[in-house]
Amino acid sequence: MALFITNTNNITNFETTYHVLLNTELNKSFSIYGNLKKQISQFAQSQSFEGNYNESFIFNEIDNDKSSSKKFIGLGAKKDLTNEKIFRCASSITYSIVSSKQKISSLQIVLSNSFDNIKVEKFLMGLFYGHYYFDKYKSKKSNLNDINITIISNNISNSTFTKILNKSKNVIEGVNMTRLLVNEQPEILTPAELAKYANKISKRKNVTCEIFNEKDLKKMNMLGIWNVGKGSANMPRFIHLKYKSVSKNKKTKKIALIGKGMTYDSGGLSLKPADYMVTMKMDMAGAGCVVGVFEALSLLQPQNLEVHGLIPSAENMPGPNAYRPDDVVVGLSGKSIEVINTDAEGRVILSDAIEYANRLKVSEMIDLATLTGACMVALGNYTAGLFSNTVRQAEKILKSSNNAGEKIWELPLDEDLRSSIESNIADIKNSASTRYGGAITAAMFLQHFVDKSIPWSHIDIAGPAYIDSKRPWLAPGATGFGVMTLLDYLGAI
Ligand code: BES
Ligand code: MG
Ligand code: ZN
């Protein structure tokens, strides 16, 4: 069920060998094979292999009774090489084994000579990421056997490699924790169950976890979460995770990460049409991401960091106790919300979490939420939307997204749209009077609750958090999107 990865300087006679190469490294790679070079080179030409990104070919050799296969995978030109490409390339190597019937228990991978430590690290993360499949409910389990992988890379010492390997493994432990939570069926993964997972992490060093149940929520005035959750038999929770490893002499920032935790979004009384309801177990992907980040932090134990993970969690259901369109909800902030559409529930529960972060007097906050279908219309399934009240913070997030190989694109908070969320009877309404710019008006609703002196960014992950069908490098279902970007942002990797 696991990957065992080691490194060495020399290529040996393995049954399965992968070569990961730039478009300038064909000759060098083929040369390793001495007298076979010409044959491989000719075969490459017959396959029109030029080493471009996404190009590959397999050279099979049957020598007496021993057969061996060499796969050459192109990365393209050095100047166009990105961490995203490296990650996907690596992930597709392990995922192609998982999604096939091949019984491969060991292989070696020869890395491009151009890889520095950061690129090797990203590659290793990809290998771990690809070796995943959520098969809990399948009678026929997927091909997740142990695989021994030998990495051949010339530029790296054994001790550095071991360090990078452990780091990559811990990061993907976090990412795969997120995937597990998001993939789990909603009957099992209720708000209380999500809280249990968070609480488990607090058994580790430097992590604490406070859980507030429905009674606490009412007592504390967190009535946004309470109102959205009260229609369900599975009562809401608010989860406060904290990671603190601060040395006395260093000044550290206090960062809040907020994640939307709808364990199921049926739409509530504003019920979703059947086709739109399927996959709504993934509406806690923001929360899953925050829990995944804490899982990784607890394993990585980075220094000089104070992070607060805030998760409002509820199940949005219709029923005799459900909140309704026309209700006016006043939550922790004291600001009143006119409910227009009970399906715009994410922003209502997030408003309490944002006010909670204001009161913690954090130096900055970032929220992640599968908030709007409109964001998917705007950016597609591969890219998250970013909204921010602070240019510097947004730039830093975009840089981290680039390092992580997770695509994020900034959209504006457009003051011209503000009037569309103004209410006649309350301070704000939860659904705009226009359909257009739905991702923006949702973000501006959140902004209404953020203390103006605190840098805040909102990442709408509705698109990239979950996929219906597999991709060459990625199992279907939850993607764990956002964990790597946030860990990079926190300086933990
Ligand atoms: N959880 C959904 C958004 C969503 C849609 C996430 C598709 C992932 C995939 C959210 O709660 C929602 O229902 N949003 C509404 C807002 C509308 C009622 C203003 C939407 O996007 O339609
Ligand atoms: Mg909804
Ligand atoms: Zn939702």
Side-chain angles (χ1 to χ4, degrees), residues 100-139:
S100 76
K101 294 196 177 95
Q102 292 169 275
K103 286 273 165 284
I104 296 181
S105 57
S106 65
L107 55 93
Q108 62 184 344
I109 306 174
V110 185
L111 296 184
S112 159
N113 255 333
S114 69
F115 277 18
D116 56 12
N117 293 355
I118 291 170
K119 292 195 169 70
V120 174
E121 184 177 305
K122 205 66 217 173
F123 191 87
L124 295 175
M125 283 186 205
L127 291 178
F128 287 115
Y129 185 76
H131 198 248
Y132 175 93
Y133 199 95
F134 183 73
D135 58 5
K136 180 175 172 187
Y137 298 107
K138 277 180 95 68
S139 311

Side-chain angles (χ1 to χ4, degrees), residues 294-352:
F294 273 79
E295 170 79 5
L297 288 176
S298 75
L299 296 169
L300 294 161
Q301 291 290 329
Q303 289 303 297
N304 300 311
L305 210 53
E306 179 173 345
V307 192
H308 294 262
L310 308 178
I311 297 173
S313 182
E315 185 176 43
N316 191 16
M317 296 289 265
N321 299 319
Y323 85 132
R324 353 165 158 67
D326 285 354
D327 280 351
V328 176
V329 173
V330 182
L332 188 62
S333 70
K335 294 172 179 166
S336 56
I337 302 166
E338 180 188 3
V339 178
I340 300 290
N341 189 323
T342 62
D343 198 11
E345 83 299 336
R347 61 197 80 179
V348 179
I349 64 169
L350 286 166
S351 68
D352 278 347

Side-chain angles (χ1 to χ4, degrees), residues 38-75:
K38 207 170 159 206
Q39 235 183 305
I40 297 174
S41 178
Q42 274 169 0
F43 188 66
Q45 268 172 28
S46 75
Q47 303 289 303
S48 312
F49 179 84
E50 294 176 335
N52 295 323
Y53 178 60
N54 266 342
E55 266 179 19
S56 67
F57 75 95
I58 298 174
F59 184 82
N60 284 319
E61 197 193 345
I62 302 161
D63 191 15
N64 299 325
D65 49 6
K66 258 187 90 187
S67 75
S68 72
S69 130
K70 310 173 195 348
K71 183 163 183 178
F72 294 84
I73 306 174
L75 283 173

